[in-house]
Amino acid sequence: MLANLTQTLSLLITANHILDYYSIVTGYGHISVRHPTNNATFFMTGNGKPPALVRSAEDLDEFYLEDASPANERSSQPEDTSERYIHQGLLKRFPSLQSVVHSHSRSVIPFGIGGVPLQPTYHLAGGFIGEEAPVFEITDYYTPNDTQNLLVNELRFGQALANSFLTPVHNASTAVDAPEPDHNVVLQRGHGFTTIGTSIPQAVYRAVYTAWNAEVQASAIAINDAAGQNRGVRYIAQQEQELADTGDLDDRAYPRAWTLWAAQVGVNPLYKNDLGYAEIPEPGSG
C-alpha cells in the first residue's frame, strides 16, 4: 500500500496533535515528512500555527530539499519556519529518513546542559537511544557576526546538526557518503532535541519515548542519590544484548502506540484534522 499525498499529510496533521497532546511540542516545535511522490520537497508544521492548531494542508509548509527554499507561495514566510534547516539537513543527508521531529521538551533539556548523558533506561526506549544520545553544540559553528540564539536557522547549522547523527568515525569529514545515521536522537544544548524515523509514526514514537525516558532517568538518579549508597543507575546500555533486542522491540512497538495516540487526539475537541484519519502505511511502502 503506497502512501499518497493526502494520506501522508493526514498523518502529519495527526502527528502534530499527538506531539502536542504529550507536551513534546507546545506553541513551538515541529515535525516534517518527505514528499511521498516527489523526493525534491518536504512538508513541515507551518503557516505560523502552533502544532495543536494545525488542521489542514494549508497549515503545512513545503520546502525544497536542496536548500530549504519555499516550494510554493504559501510557504514563503521564512520567519514562521526559521528552523526548517533541521529537517532539510537530515532529510537531504540521509535518504532513508522519512520524518524528523524537533522538540523543546523540558524533561530532555537538562541532559544537554547538566553533564549527565541521556541513556536508555527501559525496554520501550532502549534500542533507539543507543548507548547514549550525543549533544550538538551549535557554538562550535558560529562566526563572529552570527546571532547566537541557538536556533538552527541556516543551511550550515542544519548540515552540522545532521552530521552529529554520525559517530566521529563516520562523520562528514571522513565519510561523506555515509548513507545511514548512527544515532536516532541528538540533544541540542540549551535548546531541546531532534529525532528521526523512517515513517511519521516511528519518529513520533521516538520523540515521545525520548521524553519519557528522560523522566525515568531523572527519577532513577534522584532515587540513587537519595539512598546515599552510590549504587549507580543500571542502564540498558550496559547490557549489549539488551540494547540490540530492545531496539528490535521498539521497531515493532510504534504502530500499536500510534493507534492509541491517534484515537486519543481524534476525540479531543481541541484537535481538528480536515483530511480525516489515515491508516499507517506498511513498512517500506513509502
Side-chain angles (χ1 to χ4, degrees):
M1 178 176 64
L2 292 174
N4 60 39
L5 182 57
T6 299
Q7 178 188 37
T8 297
L9 297 186
S10 173
L11 287 170
L12 187 59
I13 293 169
T14 299
N16 276 277
H17 299 163
I18 292 170
L19 292 169
D20 177 82
Y21 185 84
Y22 284 107
S23 299
I24 307 304
V25 300
T26 51
Y28 298 93
H30 21 84
I31 179 172
S32 64
V33 66
R34 193 183 296 271
H35 195 300
T37 59
N38 176 13
N39 199 41
T41 69
F42 66 96
F43 296 91
M44 66 174 287
T45 311
N47 197 23
K49 286 192 174 182
L53 302 183
V54 169
R55 63 177 294 170
S56 70
E58 284 67 39
D59 297 328
L60 303 168
D61 287 339
E62 185 179 6
F63 299 98
Y64 286 110
L65 195 62
E66 180 62 28
D67 60 2
S69 60
N72 53 56
E73 184 176 351
R74 195 184 72 246
S75 303
S76 61
Q77 302 297 321
E79 66 274 9
D80 292 335
T81 49
S82 64
E83 289 201 295
R84 62 190 182 276
Y85 301 102
I86 293 175
H87 307 267
Q88 179 268 342
L90 280 159
L91 293 172
K92 181 180 179 181
R93 183 70 178 78
F94 302 112
S96 64
L97 298 185
Q98 295 297 318
S99 186
V100 177
V101 175
H102 174 65
S103 167
H104 306 145
S105 169
R106 290 174 296 178
S107 62
V108 178
I109 288 174
F111 290 95
I113 62 176
V116 176
L118 183 73
Q119 296 179 260
T121 59
Y122 70 121
H123 62 308
L124 292 177
F128 73 82
I129 291 178
E131 292 185 5
E132 65 179 59
V135 179
F136 174 66
E137 180 52 79
I138 195 170
T139 57
D140 293 341
Y141 303 94
Y142 284 142
T143 61
N145 294 327
D146 285 332
T147 299
Q148 299 186 19
N149 57 14
L150 304 184
L151 297 181
V152 181
N153 54 8
E154 293 190 21
L155 274 170
R156 58 191 170 92
F157 296 151
Q159 181 181 21
L161 176 60
N163 288 338
S164 71
F165 279 75
L166 295 167
T167 62
V169 173
H170 293 154
N171 70 25
S173 65
T174 57
V176 173
D177 296 325
E180 300 291 340
D182 296 312
H183 303 287
N184 297 309
V185 180
V186 170
L187 278 52
Q188 296 165 249
R189 194 265 305 166
H191 188 164
F193 75 92
T194 296
T195 189
I196 55 180
T198 57
S199 68
I200 292 173
Q202 185 184 57
V204 169
Y205 175 92
R206 288 173 171 174
V208 172
Y209 274 94
T210 294
W212 288 354
N213 185 89
E215 294 173 5
V216 172
Q217 185 175 352
S219 296
I221 292 171
I223 290 172
N224 181 72
D225 290 347
Q229 298 180 16
N230 196 29
R231 294 180 177 178
V233 176
R234 185 172 181 180
Y235 297 103
I236 287 177
Q238 296 166 346
Q239 311 294 324
E240 184 175 352
Q241 188 66 45
E242 284 185 355
L243 196 62
D245 291 348
T246 55
D248 292 340
L249 176 63
D250 297 340
D251 288 340
R252 298 195 308 271
Y254 71 83
R256 180 174 179 178
W258 174 274
T259 300
L260 170 62
W261 298 343
Q264 289 172 326
V265 299
V267 298
N268 188 311
L270 172 64
Y271 307 116
K272 310 292 184 185
N273 189 339
D274 292 350
L275 299 183
Y277 177 80
E279 294 289 338
I280 304 175
E282 296 176 2
S285 64

